[in-house]
Amino acid sequence: LDSYANYEQLVGGVDTLFKDSSSTVQNYANNAYKTAGLSANEYMETVTSFSARLLQGLGGDTEKAAQVADTAVQDMSDNANKMGTSMEMIQNAYQGFAKQNYTMLDNLKLGYGGTATEMARLINDSGVLGKNMEVTAETVNDVSFDKMIEAIHVIQDRMGITGTTSKEAATTITGSMNSAKAAFDNFLNGTGDVQTLADSLLTAFGNIGNAVGKLAPDILEGLIELVNGLVPQ
């Protein structure tokens, strides 16, 4: 009931913000367990936290805003997985950018400090505004939020950060467990089915089994050697 109650509230927020494109956002949310390691509820909560500013910069284009917001959430998750920063800190950074506050840019660990000058440098390095356009600390607030998201995406793509969440959801213990947890929450609120949850759990158990199968012989051999070495002492 808690999960479904949250879902109802969040869908209401998405409907209000994205109007005719609400179903697009909800589809992204339902698949976020494998693309971003987030449940549908977590995805929509993240998206609604910065979408008002995003829509403003895009002149109310809800379909474009839905696509850019999905890119932002996946980039957040990829950054958290690759750089080891908590998802909450990265979400706070993006929410700050939406309010023209760049002090948490260094949370992303992309080599840029938390200042307007550094955000301007990131945007210039990405080239999203064209080679002939140079942003400064004085003009960075004139750059729309969607372009900032695009710039961060370009930089992370160059650094090989993009796509790590979906890859880890299939191959690593932590990634597959996060995906399974998100799929379970989707199952509770009715957005996910039994087959999806089962597949996620089987992937996680398979990764755990592979790791145990690889490590167990070495650990057992090491313990035997340790005991044999200690007994004479």
Side-chain angles (χ1 to χ4, degrees):
L1 285 173
D2 282 343
S3 181
Y4 185 69
N6 288 338
Y7 176 75
E8 277 187 321
Q9 292 293 112
L10 290 164
V11 167
V14 169
D15 285 343
T16 300
L17 285 165
F18 290 91
K19 297 179 175 59
D20 292 341
S21 300
S22 176
S23 60
T24 301
V25 176
Q26 290 177 53
N27 286 335
Y28 286 141
N30 293 342
N31 288 315
Y33 74 94
K34 57 184 177 183
T35 60
L38 300 174
S39 68
N41 285 357
E42 291 170 328
Y43 180 95
M44 288 189 291
E45 186 175 1
T46 302
V47 165
T48 53
S49 68
F50 60 75
S51 289
R53 166 76 169 158
L54 181 59
L55 283 160
Q56 182 183 3
L58 289 168
D61 186 340
T62 55
E63 194 64 29
K64 179 66 174 177
Q67 295 170 8
V68 175
D70 187 60
T71 296
V73 175
Q74 289 192 45
D75 283 345
M76 290 181 200
S77 185
D78 287 341
N79 189 288
N81 280 323
K82 190 73 172 180
M83 300 304 195
T85 308
S86 73
M87 187 67 170
E88 183 179 3
M89 288 181 67
I90 296 171
Q91 288 170 335
N92 289 340
Y94 272 77
Q95 289 166 19
F97 305 155
K99 300 172 184 174
Q100 300 178 342
N101 180 348
Y102 312 111
T103 55
M104 289 180 282
L105 178 57
D106 54 356
N107 284 3
L108 304 185
K109 298 180 181 178
L110 300 177
Y112 299 89
T115 65
T117 300
E118 287 292 88
M119 175 57 89
R121 184 166 72 89
L122 183 150
I123 294 168
N124 291 332
D125 289 348
S126 72
V128 296
L129 297 180
K131 294 182 179 179
N132 297 325
M133 177 74 176
E134 186 168 348
V135 184
T136 66
E138 289 72 33
T139 61
V140 70
N141 287 344
D142 296 331
V143 178
S144 61
F145 185 40
D146 62 291
K147 285 299 179 184
M148 292 182 187
I149 291 173
E150 185 182 347
I152 293 169
H153 179 74
V154 169
I155 297 299
Q156 291 200 164
D157 197 40
R158 289 177 187 168
M159 295 176 68
I161 297 172
T162 303
T164 53
T165 302
S166 56
K167 181 179 179 181
E168 289 190 3
T171 59
T172 70
I173 292 174
T174 300
S176 57
M177 285 300 295
N178 286 340
S179 180
K181 288 176 185 176
F184 180 64
D185 192 44
N186 290 350
F187 173 70
L188 290 179
N189 63 37
T191 61
D193 55 33
V194 176
Q195 188 60 52
T196 298
L197 176 59
D199 290 343
S200 297
L201 288 170
L202 287 172
T203 298
F205 293 155
N207 290 334
I208 293 169
N210 290 338
V212 170
K214 186 187 300 182
L215 294 173
D218 290 339
I219 292 173
L220 284 172
E221 184 178 343
L223 286 172
I224 291 170
E225 290 181 9
L226 177 64
V227 171
N228 288 340
L230 287 175
V231 168
Q233 302 300 321

